[in-house]
Amino acid sequence: MKVVISQPMYFPWVGMLEQVRLADVFVHYDDVQYVRGFFNRVQLKRENGVSWLTVPLQNFHRGQLINQIIIDDRVDWRSRHRDLLKLAYRNAPYRDDVLALVDLVFSEKMISLADLSRASVESLSNYYGLMMGKTVVRSSDLKIGGKGSERLLALCKHFHATSYITGHGARNYLDHDLFERSSIRVEYMNYRKLKYPQLHGDFTPFVTGLDLVANCGKDGIRYISSDSIDWKEFL
């Protein structure tokens, strides 16, 4: 049983979709402290370079959990993001698929960043059929306490994990031996960053997964192919 525990991100890069693909259980880690990153913003490749799609936050203060953060709807950021995507991909073969995915997410009236980011991840994953046969949950629904590595381990044990697959940031804090003692194998993503046909100059993998949709459509699934490696090999 392979478990992935990841903080939800706004229309994330392909690497996040690859984590979903490898998981038997995917946990949206939505009740942990928000830090500046890709949870409310993502890079978009345009004719004049890379820019950001950023979801504005209302009354945000340090120490808030992701599922406590409220989206600032006093500005019409949804229309702006849609217009930017429409312009960036006006010559892309699957632009309409991108707009349909965005419209699907935006059609739900969500007030929390956690819900918006979760819906973003799942819309891209469902487009490529990556959610089929998987257990997908929110950590906030599980009521499993603890901090740091101990809580991650508890979540894995809850699902009888044999492997815990994580992104590269965990190398700085994860207690690998703690998992070893519980006979749960820690694996890190081995990102392949496969090049796919992409508009606007030299290829970059670190943009929204909507870019893969725009350029490749459903055939983009063949570029979602990274695997994972044992933590000892990774470190």
Side-chain angles (χ1 to χ4, degrees):
M1 182 68 68
K2 296 182 177 181
V3 173
V4 171
I5 304 168
S6 179
Q7 297 173 25
M9 299 182 182
Y10 181 59
F11 287 117
W13 76 302
V14 170
M16 173 63 76
L17 304 184
E18 293 177 318
Q19 290 188 46
V20 174
R21 184 183 71 86
L22 293 176
D24 297 307
V25 176
F26 187 87
V27 180
H28 292 288
Y29 207 24
D30 65 342
D31 56 351
V32 290
Q33 190 173 127
Y34 172 89
V35 293
R36 183 177 173 84
F38 297 94
F39 312 118
N40 72 315
R41 62 178 190 153
V42 69
Q43 293 184 68
L44 173 66
K45 193 178 182 191
R46 303 170 63 188
E47 285 182 327
N48 58 347
V50 172
S51 60
W52 292 92
L53 296 177
T54 302
V55 178
L57 308 178
Q58 185 173 335
N59 300 324
F60 166 70
H61 58 81
R62 294 185 63 179
Q64 279 185 296
L65 306 184
I66 295 175
N67 63 351
Q68 296 174 335
I69 295 175
I70 304 303
I71 299 166
D72 190 350
D73 282 332
R74 292 172 295 183
V75 293
D76 188 9
W77 60 270
R78 290 176 180 83
S79 293
R80 181 177 182 274
H81 287 195
R82 192 184 192 280
D83 288 345
L84 287 172
L85 289 163
K86 187 175 181 179
L87 180 61
Y89 298 125
R90 67 182 184 277
N91 295 320
Y94 300 98
R95 183 198 66 173
D96 289 347
D97 286 12
V98 168
L99 297 179
L101 283 174
V102 170
D103 288 343
L104 178 64
V105 172
F106 289 174
S107 67
E108 300 181 49
K109 184 59 177 177
M110 292 171 284
I111 63 172
S112 78
L113 176 62
D115 286 344
L116 174 67
S117 297
R118 175 188 53 78
S120 299
V121 173
E122 293 188 8
S123 67
L124 282 169
S125 298
N126 285 326
Y127 179 83
Y128 286 114
L130 300 174
M131 290 289 188
M132 294 178 60
K134 301 182 188 300
T135 298
V136 181
V137 298
R138 294 177 291 194
S139 59
S140 57
D141 290 335
L142 298 175
K143 311 305 180 186
I144 295 175
K147 294 182 179 180
S149 296
E150 289 80 8
R151 188 179 186 213
L152 292 171
L153 177 63
L155 288 165
C156 287
K157 285 183 173 180
H158 178 79
F159 293 104
H160 308 289
T162 54
S163 298
Y164 169 52
I165 301 175
T166 184
H168 294 179
R171 69 187 302 169
N172 299 318
Y173 65 82
L174 193 67
D175 185 344
H176 303 88
D177 291 332
L178 185 66
F179 282 78
E180 292 268 308
R181 292 194 294 272
S182 295
S183 299
I184 297 176
R185 174 186 169 100
V186 175
E187 301 175 26
Y188 281 85
M189 289 299 299
N190 183 29
Y191 297 119
R192 297 179 66 191
K193 303 172 191 171
L194 291 182
K195 289 184 178 181
Y196 57 83
Q198 190 181 68
L199 296 175
H200 312 316
D202 294 339
F203 177 79
T204 174
F206 302 112
V207 293
T208 173
L210 292 170
D211 188 82
L212 178 65
V213 174
N215 289 293
C216 300
K218 297 282 188 179
D219 189 52
I221 186 64
R222 62 193 181 100
Y223 299 98
I224 304 174
S225 61
S226 293
D227 56 8
S228 56
I229 57 176
D230 186 84
W231 70 273
K232 297 184 185 72
E233 182 181 353
F234 175 76
L235 295 181

